[in-house]
Amino acid sequence: MAPPYRDDAIGGTAMTRAPTALSHADDTAPPPMIGLSVAVGRFVEALFWAIFRVAGVVAGGVLLAAAVAITAWFVLRRLWRRRPHR
């Protein structure tokens, strides 16, 4: 059985953990855990990246549509001028 450990890294408080079936005899490290502020920061960063990605796709679509519309307008104008008048 793994002995409980003392975690002085968290504000000097003594924290103990009961051994589990997955514990090893030399398991004295605290379980991997991230703080809530880190999790919230990662979530907000991912949210901003998603918003910017969608905004980039929308902006690219608008620019492509504008380029196609301008090109079509020039081509149709040329074809309209070349048509024989009655």
Side-chain angles (χ1 to χ4, degrees):
M1 260 170 62
Y5 67 91
R6 181 180 171 94
D7 188 5
D8 292 326
I10 303 176
T13 60
M15 299 177 62
T16 59
R17 177 182 59 164
T20 64
L22 299 176
S23 294
H24 302 290
D26 60 346
D27 184 15
T28 58
M33 184 184 301
I34 62 171
L36 181 61
S37 62
V38 174
V40 169
R42 289 180 182 175
F43 172 77
V44 170
E45 181 183 7
L47 183 65
F48 279 137
W49 278 111
I51 290 170
F52 290 144
R53 188 179 316 124
V54 170
V57 169
V58 169
V62 167
L63 290 175
L64 181 64
V68 168
I70 290 171
T71 304
W73 183 71
F74 277 117
V75 169
L76 288 174
R77 193 175 71 160
R78 272 193 121 155
L79 290 175
W80 190 263
R81 283 185 181 174
R82 288 187 183 197
R83 132 183 114 86
H85 296 286
R86 294 186 184 189

